[in-house]
């Protein structure tokens, strides 16, 4: 445990759940694998949506892609939250003081803000837009920002152990 961490994170790591995750021969490993699988599910769905917003896959109506991929992205994100929480609990006092982890959290917040702005302002404009139609520039911007942000989140997540 790291003494530099706020007491709540030290307590979380020292909790029975934190100890159980660390001491189990399979829970931490399963959470780690689950996190990677959830990342693949989430990012695959997000990439399809973002690339369509950026102008690719123009032969498909944007609303059709958003409707299907959005559900898969939500499932992947929920998996990331569950498995990420387990991984965090096991090493909370160490991870919370890691600058790369803090950057990852900030990028996740940026990604979620981008989604909220897109869903509130841009997505309603895409209902009924036919294939091959030019999308609003806000859709392209949101798609590119999202793609870059979520790739950066994944890079930070894989880099935590090295900093």
């Amino acid at each position: 445990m790291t003494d530099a961490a706020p007491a709540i994170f030290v307590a979380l790591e020292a909790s029975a759940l934190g100890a159980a995750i660390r001491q189990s021969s399979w829970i931490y490993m399963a959470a780690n694998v689950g996190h990677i699988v959830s990342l693949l599910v989430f990012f695959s769905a997000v990439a399809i949506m973002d690339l369509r917003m950026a102008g690719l896959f123009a032969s498909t109506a944007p609303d059709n892609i958003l409707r299907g991929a959005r559900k898969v992205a939500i499932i992947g994100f929920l998996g990331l939250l569950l498995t990420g929480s387990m991984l965090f609990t096991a090493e909370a006092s160490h991870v919370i003081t890691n600058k790369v982890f803090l950057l990852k959290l900030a990028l996740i917040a940026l990604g979620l803000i981008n989604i909220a702005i897109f869903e509130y302002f841009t997505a309603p404009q895409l209902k009924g837009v036919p294939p091959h139609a030019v999308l609003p520039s806000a859709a392209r911007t949101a798609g590119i920002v999202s793609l870059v942000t979520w790739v950066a989140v994944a890079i930070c997540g894989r880099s935590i152990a090295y900093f």
Side-chain angles (χ1 to χ4, degrees), residues 2-160:
T2 303
D3 293 333
I8 190 166
F9 299 108
V10 173
L12 178 63
E13 184 177 326
S15 71
L17 178 60
I21 294 169
R22 276 190 314 281
Q23 293 168 2
S24 171
S25 58
W26 63 271
I27 295 176
Y28 190 87
M29 182 270 309
N32 202 5
V33 170
H35 202 65
I36 293 168
V37 170
S38 295
L39 176 63
L40 290 170
V41 170
F42 174 75
F43 187 73
S44 296
V46 166
I48 289 168
M49 290 186 285
D50 291 346
L51 291 172
R52 177 61 185 105
M53 294 306 101
L56 278 73
F57 313 128
S59 62
T60 303
D63 198 34
N64 290 345
I65 286 181
L66 291 174
R67 194 174 322 112
R70 187 182 284 128
K71 292 173 188 172
V72 175
I74 290 169
I75 290 167
F77 191 76
L78 292 174
L80 286 167
L81 283 176
L82 175 65
T83 57
S85 296
M86 292 174 70
L87 296 170
F88 179 77
T89 299
E91 301 179 15
S93 70
H94 294 85
V95 177
I96 199 64
T97 59
N98 185 304
K99 289 182 187 315
V100 177
F101 178 75
L102 297 176
L103 176 59
K104 178 182 175 179
L105 292 181
L107 289 167
I108 290 169
L110 174 64
L112 293 174
I113 289 167
N114 185 53
I115 290 169
I117 291 169
F118 173 80
E119 289 294 330
Y120 187 76
F121 294 107
T122 308
Q125 299 173 25
L126 302 176
K127 291 189 186 327
V129 172
H132 299 290
V134 176
L135 301 182
S137 62
R140 179 179 173 86
T141 301
I144 292 169
V145 167
S146 175
L147 199 56
V148 169
T149 301
W150 294 116
V151 167
V153 167
I155 290 169
C156 286
R158 296 299 85 196
S159 300
I160 291 169

